[in-house]
Amino acid sequence: MSLLRVRAFSKCLNRRSLFERCVTGVSHADRCLLCLTVRTGGARRISETPLRLQRRHFSPLIPKKEDGKKRVLEQSQLLDVLEARIQQLQSDVIRDVQHAKVQFLKAPSSSGRGSSSENPVKNAPWKQVDTPKSGQTDAKRASESQPSRWMEKLSQEKNDNKIKMQQHFKLKMHKYVKEKPSTKSKSSKGTLMLPGTSHKTISTKAKQTALVAKKSRDAMKVSKEITAAVSSTVTSTSKSKQQVPRKGGQGQSVTDAKAKELVEQPELVELSELLKLSKQADLAELPELSNLSLQAALAELVEVKQLEELERKINEQVNQLTSSTNPEHLMEDSEQDVCGDIQVNFRSYLEACVFAGDLERANHFLLNQHRVLTRRKLLNIGIYNIVMRFWAKEGALEHIGRMFALVEEAGLKPNLGSYCAALECMGRSPDCPPSIISRCLDQMGEHGLSLDDLFSQGVFRQDERDMVLKAVRTVQPDYQPSAKVTTTTYCSSPLVQDFYTQRADHHYPKLDFSHEELLECFNRQLSTEQACTVTIDSVEAAKPVTINMAKMRRLLAVHRTQWRTTLLQALKESKMILAKIKTRQYRHNLYPYLCLLEDAEYVDIMIQSVSNLPLRGQSLKCLARDLGHRVYTKYSVRQKGKSQMVEKMGNIYSAYTDLLARDNEVRDVLPREQWCKLEAEHSSGPTLQGDETHWPYIVTVEIGTYMVDMMVKNLKINSDILNPAFDRKLIPILYHMYTFRSTRQVGFIKPHPILTQMQQEAMEAKLTFDSYVIPMVCPPVPWISATFGGYLLTPTKLMRAVDGASQHELLLKKCQNLHPVLDSLNQLGNCAWRINKPLLAIIISIFNDRGNEKLDIPPPLSESPKVPQFNFNPEDTSYTPAEKAHMKREVIQAKKKCGEMHSLRMDALYKLSIANHMRDEVFWFPHNMDFRGRTYPCPPYFNHLGSDVTRAILLFAEGKPLGPKGLDWLKIHLVNLTGQKKRSSLLGRLEYANSIMEDILDSADNPLNGKTWWMNADEPWQALGCCMEIAKAVRSPDPTQFISHFPVHQDGSCNGLQHYAALGRDVIGATSVNLIPCDVPQDVYSGVAQQVEEFRARDAEKGLKIAQVLEGFISRKVVKQTVMTVVYGVTRYGGRLQIEKRLKEIDEFPKDYVWDASHYLVRQVFSGLKEMFTGTREIQDWLTDSAKLISKSGSTVEWVTPLGLPVIQPYHRARTQVLKSSLQDINFQISTDVNERPDTVKQKNAFPPNFIHSLDSTHMMLTALHCYSAGLTFVSVHDCFWTHALTVDSMNKVCREQFVALHSQPILQELSDSLLHKYCRGQKTDVKNKKYMEYRRMMLLLAKVPQTGDFDLQQVNESTYFFS
């Protein structure tokens, strides 16, 4: 080892001496930073201490002398290259220097050039120079350095545009001549230089030469791509092959003529000035100048000119947007700052402290955050206002003054909430001098805030508003807050301007309720939400109670009482310990969150979660999230009660029902407008739109984890409770264990088998749900903003989002033009429903019997397959390893099947029990939406978006006569539900329905004991309900007067492809999806299936085995799901899984060929769609490529729907956050953090389907608004619209008109403009680097909107099968 170290030490000394000898030949004066950086790195590596060098490069082998010589030679050659580069940059090539952005530094004294032998690095000049970042200038260094000769020329060049263009044009000519393939020998070193350019021959390696050549080729490639994208004319003219002679008058005239020919084209008229400059340039100096070179140079000039023009237009339009209230302008600040999550965490903690009355803890926490400068930067004015508001309740004016001092010290500006707290405190202080109040009002005015703003925009609780008004009237006795009431709605979207401005023909529907009935419904709903839970009867309670069932129910009741007592004691002890724990000053613990409710309420939440725990258990993260969410919901409801909002809510709702009740006059006011008007009239008291903070996802899970830990440790049961033969001991009823999901290990909470058996055998007669699970028994509160609407008290978000995502909420709060979106949600929520009781009774009877998998009624667990019991010794040789593995797989499959059956059974139990609970009620579904604008009912289990069973038992509460065509529409709807006659006309379907009237009536009269014709339908339960409705109508005295409550559906014909065909004006695509009138419907699924069958037959003739196996198995059903989801971004992998599932459902298909067949079919389906929808593919590719470039630039894709809804894709690179608890450490894969870079793959794959989803939601909202104005009942399941049989024709007319109106807008052009405004601003066009090239590519792509075809949109109005 010692010998090796000596050799390494001597080697290092030799290298250093060689390097120093090489360095002495070069001066440091006027060197570029790039060269200095390279030399600094090289010198730093070589001049390290010998021991460190030996430690870094140590090898057990003796290094060869040849390697050392080679490295020294390479270093000396590198220094030669750098020296030549320095001299080249000192030459007169001004344009090259400008493009490279080279900066020269004045060297320090010559003594710093490595002259010190003791430490050559210490005094090196590069150790004293900080290299500036790209695009920045070091002012200090600039002041110390002397301006060089080329810098003076550069300043002169900037002031002389003509000289600049000449130089630029010559350089372009020179560039293309060099890049043109040359016939000269590789050893030729002749180089064309401009006048005054010094030349130095650089002897370098072939590798460096190849690198330069590669860069030139890459630049040429990019230039050609951009040129092709910008100017098709220039590209077409560049195909000429005529060569220009090297010198001479004839060659010059040919060049001029060719340039003149180019400029005379219309696309190049703007380049006439550039051509003049090119003629003035000394073109005779350019050898071998071809027409192609000149055209390519001019093409790039065209591209630069168009880029500048494009940027100029973008900036002009952006300036217009800045002065208007366009949603795109509001999207600029949509993302949170770095400390956004921390601020929400602080706010929730302080609000919890204040609500629990622990002011000392809140004040102490805020002061500790404020004292540390790094943490003070994380605070905003809202956090100070929380504590300030509490001091205002106490009337502590001195503390308010201290808080204002802290705000000033933090560099923040007081807002309306700050002055509201101060004035409230002054109003509560009887001895407060008026001068202080006047000073406060003056300071508020200095900050640009007025009293009217304070009363109209401020958030008040309890009597805060009265106290503020009392303080103000102390100095201004006559002051009266101005009530700003907006009776009309302005919307910038041209799609709905007439809807809001021309209301003379509007007939808004009324509910079939009186004012008193609606008030009674309101009070019932209010009581339910205040309780936060609802206990209902289970449909299994209808079963006769056996002795064992009664025994199990008694045991569970006794043990739950014991568990409740145990948990109460454990919670009290735990809170006492937490209250005494002193955490770090800047951290918080869970104690305030455990003081928000009564201890018994926390215990009830835990007991409820035990009862609802699935048979196979639940992941700790999900269980903890549900528990924490229940705590937050109860806390939010209690907070609203404490703020005295309930009484005010009742007063406003009482007046609001006048708009809906049948015993009041009809008004041309929308529900949202009426509520806003009433809220402005009832301005006194608390504000209904509070500013409470939604708890962060991490906090919610942390609270839930704490409760789960308490349950696992304290809930126990005797081991011999079911089997006295066992030894008696207390065992936990919940176990914490780990399982694998894919490759991740997940913590699980699993119930003990004893508890599971007791619950299954008890078949308890009661089920407890959260209140928001049950439909509302009164009309929902209308959405009036992004934070208020839906339920009365239960917190509800307007836009659904992934746990932890907050960018959508911030975006909505900034957007002031959401009125059409809110009004459409209110229209959907105001539709009243009732239960189809005869049908529900039949379903419950089958459910309580043995179920029926064919009819989608899951059987009880007693019908599940028994889990095999293989009790063999692992060392037993009677079974082979393959047999043992097979047995284990059987056990796993049986357990999986049991778990799936239990999940399906419980899901059906919940839905049927809720439906049975509401069987005598009229109820409503409040609606919200996802980030694309697609609407959903808020109750999760039972709603009209559910399965065939839940849809079948839902009827409109309002009935309407069938009218002259209503019965025909019921019959056509029945045929649609059967899945037959897809290619038949409406008349053909009607004739078919009339021909099977006997089966229809038999199904209605004897659904279970008759011919059971209805069971063979695609949607059997809806078909049975329709049979019953038809039977009632035909047996009524006058079918046209029969009052029908049955909803009739009109479904879009592959709606995603319809939007693509309309966007691209694709005639072939429009024909395939019924945008063009036809005598019979065009079924795109059947068309694709037919085309795939042709491909299969062709391949089968060629002898392809899998094509021969598939003969007779390619049907519409096999390809339908894949065709439907291709438009929404399904991949070949996902499509293969879909087809595989369909093939497995065919009993006759050989299972050994499923894999190969699905691979084959998915390729054919994609090929068929590509041929049928060429325009669709072009638009889809444009959207995908645009999203790819946008996300690569570091931004998420955002756009605005035609109705003004801002949309942002929340896909970011995932980061991991760990929550430590006593049970386990929980890892969170957070993919919605706006501080992380976008996930490029997800952004580009999701943009096309999400954009189409935003369009179909816009179409649905437009249809909903205009149906509401026409007095129609309307609900939707995305692209399936429901209404009464009487109004199907009216709804169809509205549906088609709004589709045409929507796509008559320049949607793609507006999207292009929006994306250009958002992502193509602020870039420097003179930065010739890779980043600029990507920016330029993105700008050109976004500006290049796909071309459209010749399809006439007006034909949609005449298309019968557009929606049918």
Side-chain angles (χ1 to χ4, degrees), residues 1 36 39 119 147 199 253 285 378 425 488 491 512 533 567 809 830 917 936 977 998 1120 1246 1255 1285:
M1 181 64 70
L36 275 178
R39 289 198 53 188
N119 192 350
H199 177 73
S253 62
E285 299 177 4
L378 304 177
C425 184
T488 60
C491 182
D512 192 19
T533 57
L567 287 176
E809 186 177 354
N830 277 340
H917 176 69
Y936 301 86
L977 292 171
E998 182 180 350
K1120 177 180 178 181
L1255 289 184

Side-chain angles (χ1 to χ4, degrees), residues 57-75:
H57 299 290
F58 169 74
S59 174
L61 301 177
I62 303 298
K64 296 181 180 180
K65 294 182 179 180
E66 288 77 11
D67 294 340
K69 292 179 181 179
K70 185 177 180 180
R71 282 192 292 269
V72 173
L73 179 61
E74 290 175 353
Q75 293 165 1

Side-chain angles (χ1 to χ4, degrees), residues 1101-1329:
E1101 291 178 358
K1102 295 179 181 179
L1104 186 62
K1105 177 65 176 177
I1106 192 62
Q1108 296 171 352
V1109 171
L1110 280 167
E1111 184 177 0
F1113 293 105
I1114 298 177
S1115 64
R1116 178 182 188 274
K1117 186 176 182 180
V1118 171
V1119 303
K1120 177 180 178 181
Q1121 187 179 12
T1122 305
V1123 174
M1124 184 188 305
T1125 53
V1126 159
V1127 68
Y1128 295 125
V1130 73
T1131 60
R1132 290 180 183 261
Y1133 175 77
R1136 191 201 66 78
L1137 293 178
Q1138 294 168 347
I1139 294 176
E1140 179 183 0
K1141 186 177 180 180
R1142 299 286 84 80
L1143 291 176
K1144 287 181 178 179
E1145 294 174 354
I1146 303 175
D1147 297 333
E1148 296 80 10
F1149 189 80
K1151 298 300 183 286
D1152 295 338
Y1153 290 95
V1154 168
W1155 176 270
D1156 295 334
S1158 60
H1159 269 284
Y1160 174 79
L1161 286 180
V1162 74
R1163 291 197 303 269
Q1164 306 307 324
V1165 169
F1166 273 73
S1167 299
L1169 283 172
K1170 189 174 182 180
E1171 291 184 8
M1172 293 177 63
F1173 296 92
T1174 55
T1176 295
R1177 178 58 61 184
E1178 291 178 2
I1179 297 174
Q1180 202 169 20
D1181 291 343
W1182 181 70
L1183 294 173
T1184 301
D1185 295 340
S1186 299
K1188 180 180 178 180
L1189 293 180
I1190 290 171
S1191 58
K1192 277 190 173 182
S1193 69
S1195 302
T1196 54
V1197 181
E1198 302 179 28
W1199 70 96
V1200 179
T1201 69
L1203 275 185
L1205 177 68
V1207 182
I1208 178 173
Q1209 296 193 146
Y1211 313 122
H1212 296 263
R1213 293 182 182 176
R1215 66 175 177 86
T1216 302
Q1217 185 170 347
V1218 180
L1219 173 63
K1220 297 183 178 295
S1221 67
S1222 58
L1223 276 178
Q1224 71 171 69
D1225 292 346
I1226 302 178
N1227 291 324
F1228 296 92
Q1229 294 293 325
I1230 301 175
S1231 60
T1232 57
D1233 188 353
V1234 297
N1235 301 311
E1236 298 290 331
R1237 288 187 62 83
D1239 188 323
T1240 303
V1241 175
K1242 288 185 178 179
Q1243 289 283 343
K1244 73 181 184 65
N1245 289 341
F1247 186 31
N1250 286 340
F1251 181 70
I1252 294 300
H1253 278 311
S1254 70
L1255 289 184
D1256 69 44
S1257 69
T1258 300
H1259 176 225
M1260 186 279 299
M1261 290 180 178
L1262 288 171
T1263 305
L1265 291 175
H1266 287 83
C1267 284
Y1268 185 75
S1269 65
L1272 308 183
T1273 300
F1274 174 88
V1275 291
S1276 76
V1277 182
H1278 302 317
D1279 60 347
C1280 181
F1281 298 166
W1282 297 14
T1283 190
H1284 287 92
L1286 172 69
T1287 56
V1288 170
D1289 292 316
S1290 300
M1291 185 192 71
N1292 278 335
K1293 183 175 182 294
V1294 172
C1295 170
R1296 286 153 176 75
E1297 289 175 350
Q1298 296 312 310
F1299 186 88
V1300 172
L1302 170 64
H1303 284 282
S1304 296
Q1305 304 297 314
I1307 296 177
L1308 291 179
Q1309 185 61 52
E1310 289 178 351
L1311 175 65
S1312 172
D1313 295 341
S1314 172
L1315 297 179
L1316 285 170
H1317 298 156
K1318 176 68 179 176
Y1319 304 108
C1320 296
R1321 290 194 297 155
Q1323 295 285 346
K1324 301 295 184 181
T1325 56
D1326 58 346
V1327 183
K1328 300 295 181 181
N1329 53 23

Side-chain angles (χ1 to χ4, degrees), residues 138 191 193 204 328 330 381 518 567 576 695 708 763 847 984 1056 1183 1228 1250 1330:
D138 192 333
T191 306
M193 304 298 293
T204 183
E328 297 167 5
L330 300 171
I381 187 60
L518 288 176
L567 287 176
M576 291 176 61
W695 286 354
V708 172
M763 292 186 181
F847 179 84
S984 299
L1183 294 173
F1228 296 92
N1250 286 340
K1330 181 179 179 181

Side-chain angles (χ1 to χ4, degrees), residues 712-891:
V712 170
K713 292 178 179 177
N714 294 280
L715 298 183
K716 300 181 183 298
I717 197 172
N718 289 325
S719 58
D720 63 343
I721 189 170
L722 297 181
N723 193 343
F726 292 164
D727 295 334
R728 169 168 289 198
K729 61 180 179 180
L730 288 176
I731 57 175
I733 65 170
L734 300 177
Y735 282 90
H736 175 240
M737 56 182 294
Y738 291 94
T739 186
F740 281 93
R741 285 186 174 176
S742 184
T743 58
R744 294 187 299 112
Q745 192 178 26
V746 178
F748 240 66
I749 301 298
K750 190 170 184 179
H752 195 278
I754 292 178
L755 175 64
T756 301
Q757 183 178 350
M758 292 173 62
Q759 290 178 336
Q760 289 178 355
E761 295 180 1
M763 292 186 181
E764 294 183 285
K766 297 291 182 181
L767 296 174
T768 301
F769 295 104
D770 297 316
S771 60
Y772 64 86
V773 170
I774 309 298
M776 296 183 67
V777 295
C778 73
V781 174
W783 288 102
I784 62 174
S785 69
T787 58
F788 185 81
Y791 293 98
L792 303 181
L793 301 177
T794 305
T796 311
K797 289 185 177 181
L798 174 65
M799 184 171 283
R800 302 180 176 200
V802 181
D803 291 326
S806 57
Q807 55 265 54
H808 307 294
E809 186 177 354
L810 296 174
L811 207 60
L812 291 174
K813 286 182 179 180
K814 295 176 183 294
C815 185
Q816 303 296 323
N817 200 14
L818 289 175
H819 296 157
V821 176
L822 300 179
D823 290 334
S824 62
L825 288 173
N826 295 333
Q827 188 277 331
L828 297 173
N830 277 340
C831 178
W833 300 86
R834 76 178 196 181
I835 296 295
N836 189 338
K837 291 189 282 187
L839 197 61
L840 176 63
I842 298 174
I843 296 174
I844 291 178
S845 67
I846 297 177
F847 179 84
N848 285 332
D849 186 12
R850 298 177 60 183
N852 190 317
E853 292 189 10
K854 180 183 177 181
L855 298 177
D856 202 20
I857 307 296
L861 293 180
S862 59
E863 301 296 322
S864 61
K866 301 298 181 183
V867 179
Q869 299 295 330
F870 299 115
N871 298 320
F872 55 84
N873 190 346
E875 299 179 359
D876 188 1
T877 58
S878 59
Y879 295 99
T880 64
E883 290 175 341
K884 292 178 182 180
H886 179 70
M887 294 176 185
K888 290 181 179 179
R889 284 195 297 269
E890 286 185 354
V891 173

Side-chain angles (χ1 to χ4, degrees), residues 503-610:
R503 307 191 184 188
D505 299 332
H506 288 191
H507 304 283
Y508 299 134
K510 290 276 190 177
L511 296 176
D512 192 19
F513 286 86
S514 64
H515 177 74
E516 289 75 15
E517 291 172 338
L518 288 176
L519 283 183
E520 181 184 354
C521 294
F522 167 80
N523 292 326
R524 290 171 53 202
Q525 179 65 28
L526 185 64
S527 301
T528 301
E529 294 192 34
Q530 286 177 326
C532 294
T533 57
V534 179
T535 300
I536 66 176
D537 293 327
S538 170
V539 293
E540 290 183 332
K543 289 185 177 182
V545 179
T546 63
I547 298 176
N548 189 50
M549 289 171 58
K551 177 184 175 182
M552 292 299 114
R553 291 178 182 180
R554 286 195 302 269
L555 284 176
L556 284 174
V558 171
H559 280 85
R560 281 172 182 156
T561 303
Q562 296 175 357
W563 296 337
R564 184 173 282 103
T565 304
T566 303
L567 287 176
L568 275 173
Q569 183 63 28
L571 181 60
K572 291 179 181 178
E573 294 175 358
S574 177
K575 288 171 63 175
M576 291 176 61
I577 296 173
L578 281 177
K580 296 178 182 179
I581 291 179
K582 292 185 178 180
T583 57
R584 296 181 182 180
Q585 292 182 343
Y586 59 86
R587 296 197 61 181
H588 58 267
N589 60 17
L590 292 178
Y591 178 73
Y593 294 105
L594 298 177
C595 298
L596 299 175
L597 311 176
E598 298 292 334
D599 291 347
E601 293 180 295
Y602 290 99
V603 173
D604 290 339
I605 291 174
M606 289 187 273
I607 296 296
Q608 178 188 347
S609 66
V610 173

Side-chain angles (χ1 to χ4, degrees), residues 225 243 283 290 366 369 533 766 789 1010 1026 1046 1199 1267 1341:
E225 292 176 354
Q243 297 292 330
L283 295 178
S290 65
L366 179 60
Q369 301 295 329
T533 57
K766 297 291 182 181
C1026 194
F1046 198 84
W1199 70 96
C1267 284
L1341 177 64

Side-chain angles (χ1 to χ4, degrees), residues 272-422:
S272 57
E273 294 299 325
L274 298 180
L275 181 65
K276 292 178 182 178
L277 292 176
S278 68
K279 290 181 178 181
Q280 295 173 6
D282 191 4
L283 295 178
E285 299 177 4
L286 303 179
E288 299 292 336
L289 183 62
S290 65
N291 289 342
L292 181 62
S293 300
L294 176 61
Q295 294 168 3
L298 287 176
E300 182 156 337
L301 293 179
V302 172
E303 169 251 324
V304 172
K305 184 74 174 179
Q306 292 190 358
L307 276 176
E308 293 176 354
E309 181 67 17
L310 183 59
E311 286 183 321
R312 183 185 65 79
K313 292 180 179 180
I314 291 174
N315 291 330
E316 289 179 357
Q317 294 177 1
V318 166
N319 292 333
Q320 297 176 0
L321 286 173
T322 305
S323 60
S324 64
T325 57
N326 195 295
E328 297 167 5
H329 172 64
L330 300 171
M331 291 166 59
E332 299 298 327
D333 302 321
S334 61
E335 295 188 348
Q336 280 183 294
D337 55 356
V338 177
C339 53
D341 291 339
I342 301 177
Q343 291 176 355
V344 175
N345 216 329
F346 287 170
R347 286 182 60 92
S348 62
Y349 180 77
L350 289 174
E351 287 179 355
C353 292
V354 170
F355 184 82
D358 196 348
L359 180 59
E360 181 181 355
R361 183 183 296 270
N363 197 54
H364 184 68
F365 175 80
L366 179 60
L367 291 177
N368 286 330
Q369 301 295 329
H370 181 85
R371 288 192 185 104
V372 183
L373 183 60
T374 56
R375 303 193 68 80
R376 184 190 303 172
K377 296 178 181 179
L378 304 177
L379 305 178
N380 59 13
I381 187 60
I383 295 175
Y384 290 92
N385 289 346
I386 294 172
V387 179
M388 208 181 298
R389 172 171 282 176
F390 194 91
W391 284 123
K393 294 286 187 299
E394 302 295 323
L397 191 57
E398 182 180 355
H399 287 283
I400 295 290
R402 292 176 182 172
M403 295 302 299
F404 267 82
L406 294 178
V407 169
E408 183 179 0
E409 185 178 349
L412 299 174
K413 182 180 178 181
N415 62 1
L416 290 175
S418 309
Y419 290 109
C420 180

